[in-house]
Amino acid sequence: MDGQDSQDPKQSTADMTAFVQNLLQQMQNRFQTMSDSIVTKIDDMGNRINELEQSINELREEIGVEGTSSPAAPSKPKEEELIKEEGSA
């Protein structure tokens, strides 16, 4: 029995070591998968932000072109008309 008792702790230690190594490998694989997923999502968000910036710049250009010609022209005569009306009254 002494022979069997001396091998059981060694076998138990070897089993525990294999179990822990396997567990650590699984954890590392999951961590790597999660890291890859996070990096992919960050890249996607970066692309979306770039697209949003481009859209905003395009809208600014459209507003800038329309804003200087259309709204500015009608607003000035209205102000001038109000001043003339106040002065004549």
Side-chain angles (χ1 to χ4, degrees), residues 50-60:
N50 289 339
E51 291 173 4
L52 182 60
E53 277 184 319
Q54 183 66 31
S55 296
I56 289 171
N57 288 335
E58 289 172 2
L59 287 172
R60 283 183 175 173

Side-chain angles (χ1 to χ4, degrees), residues 1-70:
M1 283 194 163
D2 289 339
Q4 288 180 346
D5 288 341
S6 65
Q7 287 185 4
D8 283 344
K10 289 181 182 178
Q11 183 63 36
S12 178
T13 302
D15 289 344
M16 184 61 75
T17 301
F19 175 77
V20 170
Q21 286 176 341
N22 184 30
L23 185 62
L24 289 173
Q25 185 63 41
Q26 288 176 358
M27 290 174 62
Q28 183 177 1
N29 291 340
R30 289 180 183 167
F31 181 78
Q32 186 63 46
T33 301
M34 288 174 43
S35 294
D36 293 343
S37 175
I38 290 169
V39 169
T40 300
K41 288 179 181 182
I42 289 172
D43 288 342
D44 289 344
M45 287 177 60
N47 291 335
R48 288 181 180 180
I49 289 171
N50 289 339
E51 291 173 4
L52 182 60
E53 277 184 319
Q54 183 66 31
S55 296
I56 289 171
N57 288 335
E58 289 172 2
L59 287 172
R60 283 183 175 173
E61 288 175 6
E62 288 177 17
I63 290 172
V65 170
E66 294 175 5
T68 55
S69 61
S70 301

